Amino acid sequence: MPKKRSDEETSLSKPNSIRCRYCGQKNAVKADFKNNDAACGKCKLPLSDEPHKKFADLSKHDYIHPDDSKALAALRAIPGIDSALRKLLEVTGEAALRVIFTASSVKVTTKQFPDLHAKLQVACTTLGVDMPEMFVQQNPVVNAFTYGSKKHIIVLHSGLLERLNDEETLAVISHEVGHIHAEHVLYLTAARLMEALANASAAKLIPGSEIIKFIIAAGINSALLAWARRAELSCDRAGLLVVQDPHVIGRVMMKLAGGTSASKIDYDEFLEQGRQFKKTCDEKALDKFWATWINAGQTHPFPIWRVGEILDWVESGQYQDLMNKQ
Ligand SMILES: [Zn+2]
Ligand SMILES: [Zn+2]
């Protein structure tokens, strides 16, 4: 008669299963999965038995950087700004941007880039945002952006996906979802349109040239740029609220700063550089450089400055307070 197996034997012989902390997918794993860098079959993020916090009722005021609020208040104080920007989006055809992306990029769905779709879902459920559309565009520049005043669209460049690992990619997607949560997108889209027009020197060729002249004369363009740079700080915080590990944000910034040479950078020294930069940072000089930088096609500026800012937020205890709340 075969010997009855003990409970212990039974549990060892059957595969363990673990629910992905991010997306909830059930994954079959071996007992030593933690030592093997096991990843979730759906979202491809690392498996872990640590909990992952989803925010039930996150307000943008919980994490908005004070410099973002201040610059946005200055922007909104310009007389006629909202109607001018609405007019700008109307005449330059915000809808055209959507056509361009849907015609030239791959839409992220459960069948195309399914792991990116799952990551987008993780970012949206964690922050409490309705799922926007997301596209992947062939472009070697490591970048991502969000636009659309009526319907929000996130675009990820292929260069970004080649450079970042899965957690870092989640951080970037979450940063973009943060722009939606923080209600930045109307102003971001206007900033982007202004950049595009400046780059193409096309301002005088389009029917809305009068409105563009007004926007530049009223100082809206420079106030828009000054705000857009600071808006990044709030969304780095939103990214951290999703990945829930400051080092992931640090590594993203390291890769944004070091490019293909990132593997030669010492991470701790990089963080120290961020701290030192923050101490001596000249805000006005950054504003000046930012205008040039943006013309060079860089929409996510100054990773060294940003890593200093995110470290500051973590060390202030505000991040941990939010994680403990609700
Ligand atoms: Zn997962
Ligand atoms: Zn951004």
Side-chain angles (χ1 to χ4, degrees), residues 144-146 175-176 179 184 188 228 231-232 235-236 299-301 306:
F145 53 90
T146 303
H175 170 108
E176 296 306 323
H179 280 308
H184 284 162
L188 271 186
E232 295 304 303
C235 294
D236 288 342
T299 58
H300 286 91
R306 284 165 66 187

Side-chain angles (χ1 to χ4, degrees), residues 20-25 27 40-45 47 118 122:
C20 170
R21 64 194 288 247
Y22 298 100
C23 76
Q25 170 87 356
N27 287 268
C40 169
K42 187 178 172 190
C43 68
K44 305 291 179 205
L45 291 161
L47 287 172
V122 169

Side-chain angles (χ1 to χ4, degrees), residues 169-184:
T169 303
L170 175 67
V172 170
I173 293 173
S174 306
H175 170 108
E176 296 306 323
V177 171
H179 280 308
I180 298 171
H181 187 266
E183 297 172 296
H184 284 162

Side-chain angles (χ1 to χ4, degrees), residues 160-174:
L160 179 105
L161 301 172
E162 283 155 19
R163 193 70 53 78
L164 304 183
N165 72 20
D166 288 277
E167 280 176 295
E168 294 156 3
T169 303
L170 175 67
V172 170
I173 293 173
S174 306

